[in-house]
Amino acid sequence: AQSVTQLGSHVSVSEGALVLLRCNYSSSVPPYLFWYVQYPNQGLQLLLKYTSAATLVKGINGFEAEFKKSETSFHLTKPSAHMSDAAEYFCAVSATAGGSQGNLIFGKGTKLSVKP
Amino acid sequence: IAGITQAPTSQILAAGRRMTLRCTQDMRHNAMYWYRQDLGLGLRLIHYSNTAGTTGKGEVPDGYSVSRANTDDFPLTLASAVPSQTSVYFCASSRQFQSTDTQYFGPGTRLTVL
């Protein structure tokens, strides 16, 4: 069965600092991985996804993530945090059990705070 | 294009009452999903539909039912609400029921069961 673990339920950075949100996955087959962002009182929207093409994936708002099979990781980074990046971030993996391939399994989320 | 709409935005409900959360999408997506979001637990899948006329159970289906009579609508029903069903509910859709497809989310319904 697939699963994801997000390390750190809350991360705080200063404006202009590097953002690093950690995600490790468990999967018995090559995974498809996603990062979603949720702004306060809104639904989730896709930041980026890995679907077995390039291992370095670029997303919206300057975010990127690198798929590392040897480390079973898909960490999300942004070189310079902006106040508008304050949100909750979810890592997710596609389920691959028979008949459920469209379903996503989400991590518990990491809330990012950005200090001025 | 509205994308996904959910109604109501929020609701306070007495335990034991029946409640239907509505979800409509205008993107002609084949697959639709219902999740609940609880603090510290992330999003958990309740039910899904890979195409009109078919539905499936997710991780936490007990106490919930769904129907998919057409492509656009995917209502979620709580037959007899209990306090543990207090949560924020999100409807989502994707073009196809495939591992690589992006899911698009509605704005959510905040439900409180007293």
Side-chain angles (χ1 to χ4, degrees), chain B residues 25-45:
Chain B
Q25 54 104 356
D26 63 2
M27 298 176 283
R28 308 302 294 170
H29 283 177
N30 281 317
M32 297 187 75
Y33 313 83
W34 273 106
Y35 295 89
R36 59 177 291 173
Q37 183 179 25
D38 301 289
L39 194 64
L41 296 179
L43 279 81
R44 293 178 292 169
L45 182 66

Side-chain angles (χ1 to χ4, degrees), chain B residues 23-80:
Chain B
C23 174
T24 299
Q25 54 104 356
D26 63 2
M27 298 176 283
R28 308 302 294 170
H29 283 177
N30 281 317
M32 297 187 75
Y33 313 83
W34 273 106
Y35 295 89
R36 59 177 291 173
Q37 183 179 25
D38 301 289
L39 194 64
L41 296 179
L43 279 81
R44 293 178 292 169
L45 182 66
I46 304 171
H47 285 287
Y48 66 92
S49 169
N50 54 5
T51 191
T54 65
T55 63
K57 294 181 179 181
E59 181 186 356
V60 289
D62 293 345
Y64 305 95
S65 63
V66 292
S67 61
R68 186 88 184 277
N70 57 60
T71 297
D72 298 345
D73 301 300
F74 191 44
L76 176 74
T77 297
L78 289 67
S80 179

Side-chain angles (χ1 to χ4, degrees), chain A residues 3-116:
Chain A
S3 66
V4 290
T5 301
Q6 292 184 241
L7 300 176
S9 59
H10 194 182
V11 170
S12 182
V13 300
S14 297
E15 192 173 19
L18 171 72
V19 176
L20 171 61
L21 304 182
R22 299 178 187 274
C23 173
N24 288 91
Y25 69 89
S26 173
S27 177
S28 57
V29 298
Y32 299 124
L33 295 157
F34 302 75
W35 275 101
Y36 282 82
V37 60
Q38 183 181 32
Y39 298 103
N41 299 313
Q42 294 186 24
L44 281 69
Q45 65 183 83
L46 181 72
L47 269 179
L48 49 81
K49 63 180 177 181
Y50 167 75
T51 57
S52 74
T55 56
L56 181 62
V57 182
K58 295 188 183 297
I60 61 172
N61 301 337
F63 284 92
E64 63 182 35
E66 186 171 9
F67 172 72
K68 291 187 176 181
K69 184 179 178 181
S70 61
E71 299 177 8
T72 61
S73 69
F74 190 56
H75 301 332
L76 182 71
T77 61
K78 182 175 180 177
S80 177
H82 192 272
M83 297 296 291
S84 60
D85 295 326
E88 191 156 18
Y89 293 80
F90 293 92
C91 183
V93 63
S94 282
T96 55
S100 65
Q101 64 272 16
N103 293 336
L104 291 176
I105 298 163
F106 284 88
K108 291 178 169 43
T110 297
K111 190 169 185 178
L112 176 67
S113 299
V114 182
K115 299 174 291 187

Side-chain angles (χ1 to χ4, degrees), chain B residues 93-111:
Chain B
S93 70
S94 61
R95 187 160 42 183
Q96 301 293 343
F97 190 67
Q98 292 179 354
S99 303
T100 55
D101 267 18
T102 298
Q103 292 189 15
Y104 297 85
F105 286 77
T109 293
R110 185 174 296 274
L111 181 67

